[in-house]
Each structure stands twice: as structure tokens, then as C-alpha cells.
Amino acid sequence: MNAVRTRKTQFQLTVVLPILLTLLLPGLVFPQEATKAPLSEEDILALVTSSKLGEVSPRRVVEVITARGIGFTVTDIFLLELEAREADPSIPQALRKLREQGKDLPTAPASPSSSTGAEPPAGPSGPVSGSVSKIPTEQTWPRFLEATRVRAMAYIDDLPNFICTQITTRFMRIFPGGWREEDNFVADLTYFEKKENYKIITVANRPTTTATIEKLPGARSTGEFGSALRALFDPQTNAMFRLEGADESNGHETVRISYQVPRETSSRSINYNDERVIVTGYRGRCWLDPESYNVVRLEEKAVNIPEDFPITRSEVSIDYDIQDISGRKYWIPVRAEMMLVQGGAKLHTRNVIEFKRYRKFEAEVKIVPE
């Protein structure tokens, strides 16, 4: 299948170097601390890295897993990720044993609105207001839109350095037939110094050390972390916005607005097989949190695609929700979809992208030696 890429980002993507990325996990190696919470997936990944660095033995890692237990479901894809990271075989074996014993059920997550003593959810620019804002009226709409613009323009600057796991499942159909899954790939997505970098872990459920996001065949997209919002709300884009009213999205009460961006000021591009690149205008809708002015959902569709271009339809959606990164909560992407139509509206491709296991980027592991 021809490689198709969508979305022009506002920064240069680079090939991810095989850097060991871990978390600060002080005191993690003490199994006698029974009051410690069960281990998370990121805890396991950090321990694997520590064992590879020689700071703790695989046997000690297994002891920690056995003593502390785990607070997540052990999936086959996570075991494949451990294999791709060259974990000692005893570690996934210990996790499989817990799964067979039914001891890998996840703990119930705390509600974002529960009283836990943590900081309130933060928009990219700061804490969310404690009072519920009213749906904007015709008179208050300009002020509401300007507050949304300020928040969106600050989004990239205010995101912390973090790592998350991106799982992309790719589907295809020959219209009017049904969708069938083609393949999937899993990547470590590192957001560092306002840039997104990707390290491909598995492709089609097989570990890989050579694949890169740029060389993957088929449809793919990048730029979900901030560039879409910044481009849309940048005053130089000259987007036309219209208030549509109250709505609900992803379980949140929202304000729905529509928009349209002309091609002359658009930064949205479609790259067909590195042979031809076009810039298109686009239109869509945004669902906004009325308290924090953060985007809850973003949808966009390319318009006025040239008739002789191989891609005849291009649509993208991004869902945002509150995620915890190192004790602070952010509105951040949790899911995205991209759909392309190629070849006289017959060939449809669809990517479903999930962003999981957000954790703060740290350059070292602090762990007590044996």
C-alpha cells in the first residue's frame, strides 16, 4: 500500500535514538514495604531498565513484583513490549504467573473530581477554575473565544516533558465493504523540549529495532500534541469560528463551535507517497470545556482537494481528557482517528490511535542497590 501522511506540524520530527527513558522510582526495591501501592506498567518498565543497567538483578525485580503485586492487566501486547526491550525472561514469566493466578486485575482509578489532595486538573496554561462557566451568549462569545485562543496558543509551551505509549491500529476497506484490520504498531512517544519523537517497539505484534515512523508503509499521522490546536487558533490562520451551543463530548459538558480555515492561510498538508504534497483548507468542529477553555474534542476535514490528487478525502479527530503526569493533571490527547479515501472513493484507510501510560520524562533511575 502506498504510504500516505497527513498533518503538517510546526516543528521538525526527528528519528528517535535508542535512549533509555525511565522514571524516578525511589525506594522501589524494598519488598518489605507492604504499604506501597501495587506496581504500574511504567514501574515495571523502569525496573526492566534498571536491571539492564546492572543496578538491580532480574531476580531482585521478580522479588519486587511478587511482594508488591501489580495494579494493571497483563496484556499480550505489554509482554511483547517487554520482549522488545530485552527484559530478562524471568520478568515476563513472573507477570504471566500473576495473570494465571488472576492477580493482575487493575485497581480502580481515582476520579478526577474526587478529593485526593492532588492539584486540580490543569489546562496547559494552569489550573482549571472551580466555578462552572455559563455557556457563552452572543455578547460574551468574543471574550470566550479569545480565552480559548490564549489557552490553545500556550498549549505547547506549557506541556511538560513526558513519555507515553502510542498504540496505532490500522484498518482498510474497499467501499462498500466492511472494515478489516490490516496491522498495528506500538511506539514510545517522547515529548521533550516541545518536540515529538517516536521509537517503534512492535509492528504487527512483532518486536522491532529497525522500524521508524518515517519509514512505516501505509497511512500514518503525527502532530497530535499541540500543533493542530496552535495552527487552528493562531490569529494568522484567519479561521472563522461560529458558536453552535451546549453539547456533551466524552462525558464532559462542553461548548460546541464550528470553524473553517482557507487554503491560503492553512498549514494542513497531505503527503502522498513522498511524491506529491498539497496544502488544503479545512473545516470542522471543536468541543470546549467551559471551565478551563481546553479542547475536549477536535474534528477537521480537508476541503477543496484538487480533483487530480490521489487522496479524495482526509479527516482527523482528536479526543482529549484529563491525565496525570507526575502528580499534576493535564488535558491531553487520549485517542485520535484518521481516515483517508483513495482511488475514486473505493479504497478507505482508517487509523485508530490510543495514547496510554503517560509518565514524566526523567533521564535517570534512582534505585537503592542491593
Side-chain angles (χ1 to χ4, degrees):
M1 184 175 67
N2 287 324
V4 181
R5 291 181 291 179
T6 67
R7 180 159 324 282
K8 178 182 179 182
T9 63
Q10 294 187 335
F11 45 81
Q12 181 67 42
L13 290 175
T14 57
V15 177
V16 181
L17 297 176
I19 301 174
L20 297 177
L21 304 175
T22 59
L23 292 174
L24 289 171
L25 296 171
L28 188 60
V29 298
F30 289 107
Q32 66 269 28
E33 297 182 56
T35 58
K36 292 283 188 179
L39 299 174
S40 64
E41 289 181 335
E42 52 263 34
D43 293 338
I44 299 296
L45 295 177
L47 283 170
V48 167
T49 300
S50 296
S51 67
K52 290 178 63 178
L53 291 174
E55 297 183 359
V56 62
S57 68
R59 176 184 58 80
R60 186 61 167 164
V61 172
V62 171
E63 289 177 355
V64 173
I65 292 172
T66 303
R68 290 271 296 275
I70 55 177
F72 62 94
T73 300
V74 177
T75 62
D76 289 338
I77 201 165
F78 183 65
L79 294 174
L80 280 169
E81 186 173 349
L82 293 180
E83 181 181 343
R85 295 174 186 272
E86 299 179 348
D88 186 89
S90 62
I91 298 174
Q93 182 179 353
L95 295 174
R96 287 191 183 93
K97 183 177 180 180
L98 290 177
R99 182 171 67 178
E100 292 170 358
Q101 295 172 346
K103 297 180 179 180
D104 65 331
L105 298 178
T107 56
S111 169
S113 59
S114 62
S115 177
T116 60
E119 293 185 31
S125 300
V128 172
S129 168
S131 61
V132 178
S133 303
K134 295 181 179 180
I135 302 302
T137 63
E138 184 178 348
Q139 290 73 30
T140 61
W141 163 239
R143 188 172 64 221
F144 183 92
L145 178 60
E146 182 58 28
T148 301
R149 188 189 305 277
V150 170
R151 180 57 54 87
M153 294 299 291
Y155 190 90
I156 290 178
D157 293 333
D158 291 334
L159 279 179
N161 295 330
F162 64 80
I163 313 166
C164 72
T165 300
Q166 175 179 316
I167 303 172
T168 301
T169 307
R170 302 195 285 190
F171 301 86
M172 181 185 296
R173 71 175 178 181
I174 305 298
F175 188 80
W179 292 103
R180 69 174 187 272
E181 182 176 337
E182 288 295 299
D183 67 359
N184 61 72
F185 64 90
V186 178
D188 269 349
L189 192 163
T190 306
Y191 187 85
F192 182 68
E193 295 183 348
K194 304 180 179 62
K195 295 181 180 180
E196 296 169 26
N197 290 306
Y198 299 81
K199 176 179 172 59
I200 306 298
I201 304 298
T202 66
V203 176
N205 296 325
R206 294 180 178 276
T208 178
T209 58
T210 58
T212 66
I213 192 72
E214 294 85 0
K215 294 180 179 179
L216 279 179
R220 57 194 183 272
S221 68
T222 58
E224 287 82 10
F225 288 89
S227 60
L229 294 182
R230 195 179 186 100
L232 175 59
F233 288 98
D234 190 330
Q236 296 183 6
T237 300
N238 292 326
M240 298 294 294
F241 295 96
R242 183 171 68 89
L243 176 65
E244 294 191 344
D247 201 353
E248 184 175 320
S249 179
N250 300 329
H252 299 280
E253 294 183 359
T254 61
V255 175
R256 189 181 71 239
I257 67 175
S258 59
Y259 63 86
Q260 184 152 347
V261 174
R263 183 188 63 81
E264 291 76 15
T265 54
S266 172
S267 62
R268 189 189 200 279
S269 69
I270 307 175
N271 182 331
Y272 179 75
N273 202 31
D274 288 330
E275 296 173 358
R276 186 178 175 188
V277 181
I278 62 170
V279 176
T280 71
Y282 57 100
R283 59 181 171 84
R285 284 177 169 173
C286 266
W287 285 257
L288 305 168
D289 177 63
E291 297 184 23
S292 65
Y293 307 106
N294 283 292
V295 173
V296 178
R297 179 173 172 83
L298 175 68
E299 295 178 353
E300 66 176 55
K301 177 180 180 180
V303 296
N304 299 324
I305 298 175
E307 292 184 0
D308 62 341
F309 193 68
I311 302 300
T312 58
R313 182 178 170 188
S314 172
E315 299 180 7
V316 174
S317 67
I318 307 173
D319 290 307
Y320 300 77
D321 212 333
I322 298 168
Q323 298 290 304
D324 185 282
I325 302 179
S326 191
R328 188 176 181 189
K329 294 180 172 59
Y330 296 85
W331 285 91
I332 207 161
V334 293
R335 191 176 190 274
E337 284 199 29
M338 177 187 71
M339 190 178 78
L340 301 171
V341 176
Q342 177 183 351
K346 293 294 185 182
L347 177 61
H348 294 206
T349 58
R350 174 171 164 254
N351 287 11
V352 177
I353 308 166
E354 296 178 277
F355 304 97
K356 298 179 177 293
R357 296 206 308 271
Y358 280 97
R359 61 265 193 200
K360 186 178 179 181
F361 170 80
E362 298 286 358
E364 62 177 313
V365 175
K366 288 186 177 180
I367 194 164
V368 178
E370 295 182 75

